Each structure stands twice: as structure tokens, then as C-alpha cells.
Amino acid sequence: MEVTLRIKRYNPEMDVKPHFEEYQVDVEPTDRVLDALNQVKWYQDGTLTYRRSCAHGICGSDAMRINGRNRLACKILMKDLGRKITIEPLIGFDVEKDLLVDMEDFFASYRAVKPYLIADDAPSGGERRQSPEERERYDDTTKCILCAACTTACPITWTNEEFVGPAAIVNAHRFIFDSRDKGGGERLRILNTRSGVWRCRTVFNCTDACPRGIKVTDAIEQVKRALLYEEV
Ligand code: FES
């Protein structure tokens, strides 16, 4: 099928401001948006710039705004989008070129919540055991691929650069509720600030945007409840 891609382009070395360019591509209904972008880059305009790597929804490289919604280009099928598709970079980040954004602040927020196991004591019996029920407690938030779709779908992050954002809270949740971890109190204190979980207004954009189906808003609410009702 013939489809028009309307892609937001910006080259800081040449353009004063971003503009849209249109490309006609011939795709199969079951092709992904990434296949269509590759067709433009490989056969029409090699200067088009975007991130991608695995092409299978695992690495989180190719989150972008597709018809106004944050999506992974490698997971969205052409047949679900209509004949004219608008593709833009994630909003809330500086654009380096075309669909490529600067994610340094995003990863700084991620690092700020200490997204790793904190446990200084030696494990008894050689390993840190936990029951299936304990593992289940944080299972959902282990699925995050750090694509930033949730964080940049959140209207709070568009206007407040201090807010750590949904993805950082999801990754804090993954360790706060891990029975083997001893850093939960430290992470909760980090999030118990004006730039932490209390900035969240429960808009649910993050949950809608997550390509892994993580219940992001629910995870944020669990962290809020831990701050309110558990000893920190
Ligand atoms: S290219 Fe890896 S998630 Fe899409």
C-alpha cells in the first residue's frame, strides 16, 4: 500500500527551526513504521536520522511520536495508522537531529534513583533467595526498556525539568519492592521531594505510552503509598 510519511526534520547545522518533509513509501500492511523509515533512509534520503537497534521492541532505541502518540517504531504496524502518518521526535528533549533526541537528562534521572541492588551483607547459603510471591511484587516494573516513551508522554515533564519522571520511578519501584534489596528507604527519600513522586498528577499518559504494557501509574501510586504508610 502507498503511504505518505510526514517526518519532522531538523538539522541544527543548516535549519533555523524544524520543518516537515513528506515521503511516499510502498509498504506491506504488516510492515512496521521502522521498516518505512528504513525505506526512506536507504532508498530516498540517507540524511534522515533516527535511533534503532534491535528492531524487536527490546532495546528501547526507537521511541518517537507517531500520529501524536509515543510509540516504538519497531512495534507499530502500518495497517493501524492510515495513509498519512506524522512522525516526530519525542517532546521534552532537545533534538540533536531529525528524530534523534538528547537523552542525557533522562538517564541522569534514572541514575539518581539508584537502579541497582543494594545489599552489603553476604548472602546466606551463597545466594539471595526469594519466594515466587516476593518476586511477583515487582515483576511488572522489571519489563522497562528505558525507551522514555512514558516520561516524555507525561505533561509534567514538558514544563518541569526537575521532575524525575515516570521511567525513573518505575526503575526505583523495581528495587524498592525487591525483598533482597536494602536501599528502599534511601530511594523513597530521594522520591519524597517536590521533584519526585509528588509531581505526578495521575494523568495516565505514561501507562498509555508504555510499549511493554507496564502499569506505570499504578507503580507510581505504590511508591506514593509506601511513602505515606510505610516507615522510611
Ligand atoms: S529498535 Fe529496539 S526497541 Fe525498537
Side-chain angles (χ1 to χ4, degrees):
M1 59 192 227
E2 278 279 325
V3 171
T4 302
L5 299 185
R6 187 169 163 268
I7 304 176
K8 200 171 204 176
R9 303 289 311 264
Y10 175 59
N11 181 346
E13 293 176 2
M14 297 170 63
D15 302 327
V16 177
K17 60 180 184 176
H19 62 281
F20 282 95
E21 286 185 26
E22 293 193 357
Y23 303 88
Q24 313 300 323
V25 287
D26 190 12
V27 293
E28 296 295 328
T30 51
D31 279 349
R32 295 92 37 93
V33 171
L34 182 60
D35 298 314
L37 286 172
N38 287 341
Q39 209 180 114
V40 172
K41 184 169 181 69
W42 295 342
Y43 304 111
Q44 296 188 38
D45 185 346
T47 67
L48 177 64
T49 304
Y50 50 97
R51 283 195 185 96
R52 75 283 191 199
S53 183
C54 72
H56 291 285
I58 300 298
C59 73
S61 298
D62 61 344
M64 54 189 72
R65 272 169 82 81
I66 300 171
N67 284 351
R69 300 174 81 182
N70 285 4
R71 295 289 183 258
L72 289 182
C74 65
K75 285 195 74 175
I76 301 299
L77 302 183
M78 301 303 288
K79 68 182 174 66
D80 297 326
L81 293 172
R83 295 300 170 110
K84 189 159 188 171
I85 301 164
T86 300
I87 303 175
E88 302 164 87
L90 295 173
I91 56 178
F93 291 151
D94 290 336
V95 175
E96 294 194 339
K97 187 172 183 289
D98 299 334
L99 304 173
L100 190 73
V101 293
D102 178 358
M103 295 181 72
E104 199 44 55
D105 289 347
F106 172 80
F107 284 109
S109 294
Y110 168 69
R111 288 191 294 270
V113 300
K114 303 180 185 289
Y116 41 80
L117 191 81
I118 298 174
D120 294 335
D121 56 320
S124 63
E127 55 185 320
R128 302 179 198 280
R129 292 175 174 272
Q130 66 183 174
S131 67
E133 292 74 25
E134 288 170 333
R135 175 62 176 76
E136 179 64 25
R137 181 74 182 82
Y138 60 91
D139 184 68
D140 199 34
T141 46
T142 64
K143 298 174 193 157
C144 178
I145 54 173
L146 294 171
C147 65
C150 63
T151 291
T152 56
C154 171
I156 312 296
T157 66
W158 303 341
T159 54
N160 188 312
E161 289 181 1
E162 302 300 312
F163 180 40
V164 292
I169 302 170
V170 159
N171 283 278
H173 176 289
R174 183 257 171 268
F175 290 99
I176 288 168
F177 297 104
D178 186 332
S179 60
R180 303 164 299 178
D181 184 85
K182 300 286 185 286
E186 197 179 346
R187 291 189 199 90
L188 286 170
R189 274 189 290 281
I190 292 166
L191 294 173
N192 191 21
T193 59
R194 287 165 63 87
S195 58
V197 285
W198 305 115
R199 278 279 168 200
C200 168
R201 295 292 182 267
T202 326
V203 179
F204 279 91
N205 278 18
C206 51
T207 301
D208 172 71
C210 179
R212 304 304 306 272
I214 298 171
K215 299 183 192 74
V216 181
T217 312
D218 191 44
I220 296 171
E221 291 303 304
Q222 288 178 32
V223 174
K224 288 179 181 173
R225 282 200 294 275
L227 278 165
L228 289 173
Y229 304 118
E230 293 173 24
E231 240 176 65
V232 180

